[in-house]
Amino acid sequence: MGNLLLHLGRTLDELDPPRWGDPADGATRLVRKVHGLRSVPLGDLRPADLLSLVTQQVALPFVLPLDVRLPADEPLLDAYFHEGDLLLATVSVPAGAWAALPELEARLRAVIAELPGAAVDELPRGGAEALAQFAGKA
């Protein structure tokens, strides 16, 4: 993928061909949102946008580098639903998505290792287990 900073002005439709057309008539709000996000420059994506893209597993090689920097700075960031939602979505992507991003995976594991136990206990049901599984402790 190269240096992510070089891509911040580009869109997922440009970086992750083929371009997606308009969503089908009657598409859900989420599908319409994700289609729209593919035409937003990477540097303009907000935490809630990244959450949508990660949970829908869209263009992960381009989205994960943007996504991981947020929990690295603020691990329990509330992107849209609850504290830690972006972190939990990130650790839930398929293991294969990390194959080309081992440094990012290691960085995220280090962030998780530094989380206070009390904060982890405050995550929604299954959150602590998801973090432990990603970190290789489960």
Side-chain angles (χ1 to χ4, degrees):
M1 180 181 74
N3 185 340
L4 180 65
L5 294 176
L6 298 177
H7 299 299
L8 291 178
R10 299 182 68 197
T11 69
L12 291 174
D13 271 342
E14 294 170 326
L15 296 167
D16 183 45
R19 261 180 216 277
W20 289 14
D22 291 332
D25 289 340
T28 65
R29 184 164 112 24
L30 178 60
V31 168
R32 289 191 311 272
K33 178 180 181 176
V34 170
H35 273 255
L37 290 175
R38 288 189 51 93
S39 64
V40 173
L42 294 182
D44 293 342
L45 293 171
R46 299 175 325 241
D49 299 334
L50 293 171
L51 178 65
S52 295
L53 292 167
V54 168
T55 58
Q56 297 304 303
Q57 300 179 18
V58 173
L60 291 176
F62 298 100
V63 174
L64 284 175
L66 289 169
D67 174 58
V68 168
R69 71 187 165 92
L70 295 174
D73 292 338
E74 186 180 341
L76 299 179
L77 172 76
D78 179 344
Y80 190 77
F81 296 110
H82 55 77
E83 283 190 336
D85 56 359
L86 187 60
L87 177 62
L88 292 174
T90 304
V91 301
S92 298
V93 301
W98 298 103
L101 305 166
E103 316 82 32
L104 286 177
E105 183 180 25
R107 182 176 179 196
L108 193 56
R109 287 180 198 278
V111 167
I112 292 167
E114 296 295 318
L115 284 174
V120 171
D121 292 341
E122 296 280 321
L123 293 171
R125 174 186 275 167
E129 293 81 5
L131 294 181
Q133 184 175 7
F134 181 84
K137 298 175 188 167

